[in-house]
Amino acid sequence: MVGFQTVKLQRSSHSASLIRIILIGIVLITAVGAFRLWQNLDPAPQVPVPSNMARLEPQLRDYLVEKIKWVGESPRKADRHALLGLVYSVNGLWHEARLAFRNSVSLNDREPLGWIYTAIATQELGERDEALRLFHELVARFPAFPQGYYRLGSVSLAAGKVEEAEAAFRKLVELAPTEWRGFAGAGEALLRKGRHAEAAKLLEKAIQLDSSAKTVHHLLGQAYQALGKTADAEMELMLGRNAVSYPMPDPWSESASQHMKSLPDQLQMADAHINGGEPMKAVEILAKAFFHHPNNVGLMNQLAIALNQSEQPNKAIVVLRQALNLDSNNVPALVTLAFSQHEAGQNKEALAAADRAIALAPTIPQPYLAKANALLGLEQDELALKSLEAASRADPNNAEVFAQMGDIEWRNLNRPGDARKRYENALKLDASCIPALVHFADMLLQGGDVKTAEPLIARLRRLEPDSPDLPLLDERLRKLPR
């Protein structure tokens, strides 16, 4: 009988490793499944929607619907909630903005911008004490985040907490030594504490970092006044005239303006582009708004102004004709039409449009300015001067009108003595009137009057250090004997 030997089977080490890998894989798959199940069980943040959506402007409403849908497609993405919050905030919907920013924080609490914008929205809703608490919490969580200290300092100043404000701004200086707002904020805090000399030093440093910061010039003017530096104070206050304060920028705020969709904001934004020498950007903004507001005469007029500035007067005339078909007695449209026709070489038509505007509104200066422009185009200089005199009677504090009269007296009519009086009147009304400074200084230099011209050039250099007229004036000044 043949016997069989009993063999005890043993797993090889290779088989055991394979089993362990399979078991680990099963555990991982189970964990992932559990995580996905948890995600499905935990509700996504609710996307805030304005209760007055139907009453919003058409362009804004359409834009909001698009963004709300976009967030709803991926409701667990923090960046989408953050962007929606930014859209709401720049359009003045602060209640919805705060909810959206809170959603972004709940999904990603490691992003300081979500925290700071939640606090900003709270501040805008009038809850200053709560906003102050949130800004304190923000800098505690993110001690190396400079914008947090800027906001904390600003709100503290507004609340009269000068010591807290100074500490916050000094921390901002430490974190961002090239940011002028830290020095300016600390300087303002010292100014409020009556420490004027120390404040002036910090404010001077802020101006070194950004000479265009009007708010700092205004504060420095106040410091110089308190220190008895009258002439310096006068210059700084002049440089700080019409100061507007802009918050410290951050990665979110840099793209904020592209989400402004209310008509007043777009008109303001377009105006800023025109004043900043970017009229084509203004045309682009206003053309999009025009699609949603095809019968808004004010918008048409602003679009025509932008087209004029971008050297497209014929297109401006077409737009203005459409506007005047809707409102034939609209004075701003008639004035802009006169300027457009002048730019297009249609001076007789421009004169007729200006006269019509004058008949409708004889007490405002703009129609007379438009008429003077048309008359200059027709080479009727004396009549143009009379029209500018009428404009100055309508607006006696307008320095630029006197500067324009000086230009006609000097360049067109060769009456430098009369021109001098016009320029002097302009500078009495506004010592910072750039056209008067440039043309008066130029006239004086061409007449050899270096003594009177030099302080005007020095003032121009202080007011507008990048003025394209300065090199020519400096060259003429160098060629004259002292």
Side-chain angles (χ1 to χ4, degrees):
M1 182 175 179
V2 179
F4 292 91
Q5 183 177 356
T6 303
V7 179
K8 186 176 181 181
L9 298 176
Q10 294 182 346
R11 293 190 184 98
S12 68
S13 60
H14 175 74
S15 298
S17 297
L18 183 60
I19 291 170
R20 280 197 298 274
I21 291 170
I22 291 170
L23 289 171
I24 291 170
I26 292 170
V27 170
L28 287 174
I29 290 169
T30 304
V32 170
F35 177 71
R36 287 178 177 169
L37 178 63
W38 171 81
Q39 276 195 318
N40 290 331
L41 289 174
D42 186 46
Q46 185 175 356
V47 182
V49 178
S51 59
N52 63 337
M53 181 76 87
R55 296 192 299 275
L56 296 176
E57 293 178 16
Q59 186 176 7
L60 174 57
R61 183 174 63 245
D62 292 349
Y63 193 69
L64 290 179
V65 168
E66 173 191 327
K67 293 303 177 188
I68 290 166
K69 180 182 177 184
W70 176 70
V71 176
E73 289 169 355
S74 299
R76 295 184 185 281
K77 289 190 175 180
D79 59 336
R80 296 200 176 196
H81 287 276
L83 191 140
L84 180 61
L86 197 61
V87 171
Y88 281 139
S89 63
V90 297
N91 290 290
L93 298 165
W94 287 106
H95 175 72
E96 291 79 7
R98 179 163 64 175
L99 293 173
F101 289 132
R102 282 174 175 170
N103 286 344
S104 74
V105 170
S106 71
L107 293 166
N108 179 14
D109 63 2
R110 297 180 303 280
E111 170 56 73
L113 289 168
W115 290 90
I116 195 171
Y117 274 88
T118 301
I120 292 168
T122 300
Q123 179 186 356
E124 291 290 338
L125 288 168
E127 301 172 24
R128 190 177 65 187
D129 291 343
E130 175 61 10
L132 195 55
R133 186 192 70 77
L134 289 171
F135 285 125
H136 275 294
E137 183 180 352
L138 170 69
V139 297
R141 284 177 174 272
F142 305 99
F145 182 52
Q147 284 86 351
Y149 291 97
Y150 164 75
R151 293 286 182 172
L152 176 59
S154 298
V155 178
S156 296
L157 266 183
K161 299 178 182 292
V162 180
E163 295 291 345
E164 287 185 20
E166 183 185 353
F169 284 124
R170 288 193 182 277
K171 184 65 177 179
L172 174 56
V173 168
E174 179 186 325
L175 291 171
T178 60
E179 171 55 55
W180 64 268
R181 291 171 181 83
F183 294 95
E188 184 175 0
L190 289 173
L191 201 59
R192 294 194 186 190
K193 293 162 74 172
R195 292 158 60 179
H196 303 112
E198 296 171 75
K201 288 181 180 178
L202 288 173
L203 294 167
E204 287 165 353
K205 176 62 177 177
I207 286 174
Q208 288 175 14
L209 293 170
D210 187 350
S211 61
S212 67
K214 286 192 170 189
T215 53
V216 187
H217 285 292
H218 182 75
L219 290 169
L220 185 56
Q222 291 179 321
Y224 284 158
Q225 273 185 331
L227 293 169
K229 298 181 177 181
T230 307
D232 290 335
E234 184 181 349
M235 175 59 71
E236 292 302 325
L237 291 171
M238 186 190 307
L239 289 166
R241 187 179 297 167
N242 301 320
V244 178
S245 181
Y246 294 100
M248 184 176 175
D250 59 62
W252 288 4
S253 68
E254 289 170 359
S255 63
S257 62
Q258 71 187 56
H259 303 297
M260 291 180 176
K261 300 302 175 184
S262 74
L263 185 56
D265 282 339
Q266 290 185 88
L267 291 171
Q268 186 176 1
M269 195 163 37
D271 193 48
H273 282 304
I274 291 171
N275 293 332
E278 298 176 317
M280 281 307 300
K281 288 186 177 180
V283 170
E284 183 181 347
I285 291 167
L286 296 170
K288 289 179 180 177
F290 183 46
F291 177 79
H292 293 272
H293 304 274
N295 297 319
N296 189 306
V297 175
L299 172 58
M300 293 180 197
N301 187 57
Q302 190 78 355
L303 176 56
I305 291 170
L307 288 167
N308 282 340
Q309 292 294 319
S310 59
E311 299 181 357
Q312 302 180 75
N314 289 313
K315 288 185 179 180
I317 291 170
V318 172
V319 173
L320 291 163
R321 292 290 186 202
Q322 186 176 347
L324 290 166
N325 283 337
L326 294 169
D327 182 359
S328 61
N329 292 329
N330 189 279
V331 173
L334 284 167
V335 169
T336 306
L337 177 62
F339 280 110
S340 302
Q341 289 170 328
H342 167 75
E343 291 297 321
Q346 303 170 15
N347 287 299
K348 289 183 179 179
E349 293 84 350
L351 185 58
D355 278 333
R356 188 172 161 203
I358 289 170
L360 290 166
T363 61
I364 65 173
Q366 289 81 6
Y368 297 103
L369 296 173
K371 182 173 182 176
N373 220 37
L375 289 167
L376 287 171
L378 293 168
E379 298 185 1
Q380 298 182 29
D381 300 329
E382 290 285 4
L383 290 177
L385 190 61
K386 288 182 179 179
S387 189
L388 287 174
E389 287 171 345
S392 72
R393 288 193 294 273
D395 185 8
N397 295 317
N398 191 324
E400 292 203 7
V401 173
F402 282 93
Q404 289 175 22
M405 287 191 278
D407 292 345
I408 294 174
E409 299 270 23
W410 171 40
R411 292 175 171 169
N412 297 23
L413 300 174
N414 193 26
R415 299 199 294 242
D418 292 334
R420 179 173 186 139
K421 293 176 184 176
R422 305 285 193 182
Y423 290 135
E424 287 173 344
N425 281 338
L427 293 172
K428 282 178 184 176
L429 289 170
D430 181 2
S432 64
C433 180
I434 300 298
L437 283 171
V438 171
H439 301 157
F440 190 20
D442 193 12
M443 187 188 78
L444 291 166
L445 289 175
Q446 291 191 40
D449 188 349
V450 174
K451 184 178 179 181
T452 310
E454 276 188 313
L456 296 175
I457 296 170
R459 191 190 307 175
L460 174 64
R461 196 182 313 281
R462 185 78 180 273
L463 288 166
E464 201 170 284
D466 298 324
S467 169
D469 297 295
L470 275 171
L472 177 61
L473 293 173
D474 286 338
E475 184 182 353
R476 287 182 174 164
L477 188 60
R478 281 193 299 271
K479 292 179 179 179
L480 291 172
R482 305 297 177 93

